């Protein structure tokens, strides 16, 4: 082969190698750039004040940001392939797994509040978690991505506000608002399943005299004592509420007229014969009597209001015959 041709061949080969090297270098640079980009994304995620993690389709951890790693007390390498059973009590881990499986199976985003008991002080922490399916660039499901934030303070505040909105400050009983909600619910249930349902309205007799004679503060204590005595006689399913100043109501699911009447009589008598053990200050409060109106759900009732109105009428009958009595309507 002439020398010129060999030189040409060497030149072509060199060019080919140079092109290959350049391509390789470009690819290397791209990989490096991607790595750098991923590193900076990870750095960003590490600085977010939320627990961020990725799990595979078997609900095992693939990645977690620094906050999550700190919480679990593991490194990124130690985390890989582990599951929640290693970091949470069984009850919590099962709940988390249930949510994970839902996300994977239904390919749906879900949100939930999770309560976790603190190991050291027994305090309860609440986390709001959002989980959604995670797909690769070809659209194939590869697992899930989750974000959790601690909402203990908000949760406690919400519970306190809910309690304030639903309970009566003086007695701690349900207020009228929550009594109405319970009543509608129990009325619908009793109607649907043909179950008995009774209602009692209780009013303290001549209560104005108590206030006028002993003052409002003593009046308040008497209201609290009436509530306490009523509370001692009811079952867990019964709903006792303070629905007005000196007026109470008790909703009695699964209770027929006869049983409701017997309970009302027991309550009426026990308001006069109660005695709290020891030197209870309620024992020194002025005596009062109560009047009660009872009604029971009828198939003819079109709404809970009709039952309520019958109990009200029965209460007025009790007042009209001289108080300290029970009437059924
Ligand atoms: N101390 C106190 N008194 C209250 C409260 N809410 C309502 N009252 C009082 O309860 C009294 C109710 O009086 P009335 O409606 O005339 O009825 P009553 O004196 O109980 O007479 P009868 O119901 O007919 O037996 C009023 O004096 C109200 O001011 C409360 O939260 N605390």
């Amino acid at each position: 082969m002439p020398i010129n041709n060999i030189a040409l061949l060497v030149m072509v080969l060199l060019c080919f190698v140079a092109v290959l090297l350049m391509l390789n270098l470009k690819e290397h640079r791209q990989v490096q750039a991607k790595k750098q980009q991923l590193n900076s994304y990870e750095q960003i995620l590490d600085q977010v004040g939320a627990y961020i993690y990725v799990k595979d389709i078997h609900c095992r951890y693939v990645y977690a940001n620094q906050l999550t790693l700190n919480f679990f007390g593991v490194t990124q390498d130690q985390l890989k392939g582990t599951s929640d059973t290693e970091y949470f009590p069984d009850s919590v881990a099962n709940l988390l797994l249930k949510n994970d499986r839902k996300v994977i199976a239904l390919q749906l985003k879900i949100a939930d509040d999770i309560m976790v008991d603190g190991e050291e002080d027994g305090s309860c922490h609440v986390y709001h978690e959002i989980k959604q399916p995670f797909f690769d660039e070809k659209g194939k499901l590869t697992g899930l991505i989750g974000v959790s934030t601690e909402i203990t303070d908000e949760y406690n505040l919400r519970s306190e506000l809910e309690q304030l909105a639903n309970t009566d400050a003086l007695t701690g009983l349900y207020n009228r608002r929550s009594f109405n909600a319970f009543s509608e619910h129990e009325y619908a249930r009793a109607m649907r399943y043909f179950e008995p349902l009774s209602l009692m309205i209780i009013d303290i007799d001549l209560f104005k005299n108590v206030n006028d004679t002993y003052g409002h503060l003593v009046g308040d204590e008497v209201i609290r004592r009436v509530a306490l005595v009523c509370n001692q006689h009811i079952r867990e399913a019964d709903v006792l509420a303070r629905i007005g100043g000196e007026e109470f109501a008790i909703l009695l699911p699964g209770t027929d007229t006869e049983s409701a009447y017997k309970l009302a009589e027991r309550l009426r008598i026990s308001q006069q014969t109660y005695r709290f053990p020891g030197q209870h200050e309620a024992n020194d409060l002025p005596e009062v009597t109560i009047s009660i109106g009872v009604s029971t759900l009828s198939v003819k009732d079109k709404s809970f209001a009709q039952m309520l109105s019958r109990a009200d009428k029965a209460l007025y009958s009790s007042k009209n015959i001289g108080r300290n009595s029970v009437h059924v309507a």
Side-chain angles (χ1 to χ4, degrees):
M1 191 185 290
I3 289 189
N4 278 355
N5 284 358
I6 292 172
L8 192 66
L9 192 64
V10 169
M11 285 272 286
V12 170
L13 272 174
L14 280 175
C15 285
F16 184 66
V17 169
V19 169
L20 269 183
L21 279 173
M22 273 168 62
L23 282 176
N24 218 338
L25 196 66
K26 197 175 164 196
E27 205 172 294
H28 179 73
R29 280 199 187 127
Q30 278 174 345
V31 170
Q32 286 300 94
K34 209 165 190 175
K35 259 190 185 166
Q36 254 179 6
Q37 201 178 25
L38 279 176
N39 274 343
S40 59
Y41 285 157
E42 280 192 20
Q43 273 174 19
I44 292 170
L45 293 181
D46 282 345
Q47 287 170 50
V48 175
Y51 302 91
I52 301 170
Y53 46 86
V54 177
K55 290 177 179 174
D56 63 20
I57 50 167
H58 305 294
C59 312
R60 295 194 165 269
Y61 284 99
V62 174
Y63 160 84
N65 71 343
Q66 197 56 50
L67 196 68
T68 314
L69 295 176
N70 292 347
F71 184 82
F72 291 165
V74 293
T75 62
Q76 197 71 255
D77 283 343
Q78 289 168 334
L79 173 93
K80 282 187 182 122
T82 60
S83 68
D84 286 314
T85 47
E86 282 154 73
Y87 309 115
F88 296 100
D90 283 354
S91 55
V92 178
N94 288 341
L95 217 77
L96 295 172
L97 184 63
K98 207 168 121 195
N99 283 347
D100 287 356
R101 286 189 173 143
K102 216 188 268 179
V103 173
I104 300 287
L106 305 176
Q107 300 194 11
L108 275 181
K109 177 176 171 177
I110 63 159
D112 199 4
D113 290 346
I114 305 285
M115 288 189 202
V116 181
D117 286 328
E119 270 176 19
E120 287 119 38
D121 54 0
S123 60
C124 180
H125 295 260
V126 188
Y127 299 89
H128 182 69
E129 64 166 17
I130 298 172
K131 288 172 174 170
Q132 64 180 71
F134 190 45
F135 301 96
D136 66 14
E137 59 271 20
K138 288 179 190 143
K140 188 176 162 230
L141 179 74
T142 57
L144 64 88
I145 179 159
V147 180
S148 302
T149 41
E150 176 155 11
I151 55 155
T152 310
D153 289 344
E154 294 85 335
Y155 184 88
N156 288 341
L157 185 68
R158 202 170 62 202
S159 307
E160 265 174 48
L161 289 175
E162 262 171 24
Q163 206 189 343
L164 280 177
N166 293 326
T167 54
D168 163 51
L170 180 66
T171 58
L173 299 180
Y174 292 115
N175 59 16
R176 184 163 208 129
R177 184 187 121 121
S178 43
F179 182 76
N180 287 345
F182 278 118
S183 303
E184 292 302 335
H185 175 78
E186 289 299 337
Y187 170 81
R189 213 171 78 108
M191 277 294 197
R192 187 176 321 138
Y193 299 112
F194 302 103
E195 283 175 1
L197 175 68
S198 291
L199 168 69
M200 213 183 273
I201 303 206
I202 302 164
D203 192 277
I204 306 176
D205 295 328
L206 303 171
F207 189 63
K208 191 173 176 311
N209 291 348
V210 176
N211 278 334
D212 292 348
T213 313
Y214 302 95
H216 258 75
L217 287 182
V218 172
D220 282 357
E221 287 309 311
V222 170
I223 289 175
R224 276 151 66 99
R225 189 192 61 207
V226 169
L228 211 63
V229 174
C230 287
N231 218 356
Q232 286 175 341
H233 287 81
I234 58 171
R235 297 169 308 176
E236 210 171 305
D238 301 339
V239 181
L240 168 62
R242 182 177 175 216
I243 57 169
E246 17 71 85
E247 198 171 51
F248 300 85
I250 310 180
L251 197 62
L252 304 154
T255 306
D256 59 18
T257 312
E258 198 189 331
S259 307
Y261 178 79
K262 279 185 186 159
L263 173 64
E265 270 298 319
R266 254 200 327 271
L267 285 182
R268 186 185 66 78
I269 293 164
S270 60
Q271 288 296 340
Q272 294 169 283
T273 55
Y274 77 89
R275 267 293 164 267
F276 293 99
Q279 290 282 39
H280 202 291
E281 52 196 31
N283 292 336
D284 303 325
L285 291 170
E287 302 286 329
V288 287
T289 59
I290 54 171
S291 295
I292 304 179
V294 177
S295 71
T296 301
L297 181 67
S298 148
V299 280
K300 289 188 220 137
D301 282 336
K302 300 259 180 309
S303 67
F304 179 75
Q306 292 187 335
M307 222 179 129
L308 191 65
S309 153
R310 280 203 304 282
D312 249 338
K313 277 189 192 132
L315 173 65
Y316 280 106
S317 302
S318 296
K319 291 272 181 191
N320 282 339
I321 64 146
R323 302 179 176 87
N324 191 18
S325 65
V326 175
H327 268 73
V328 180

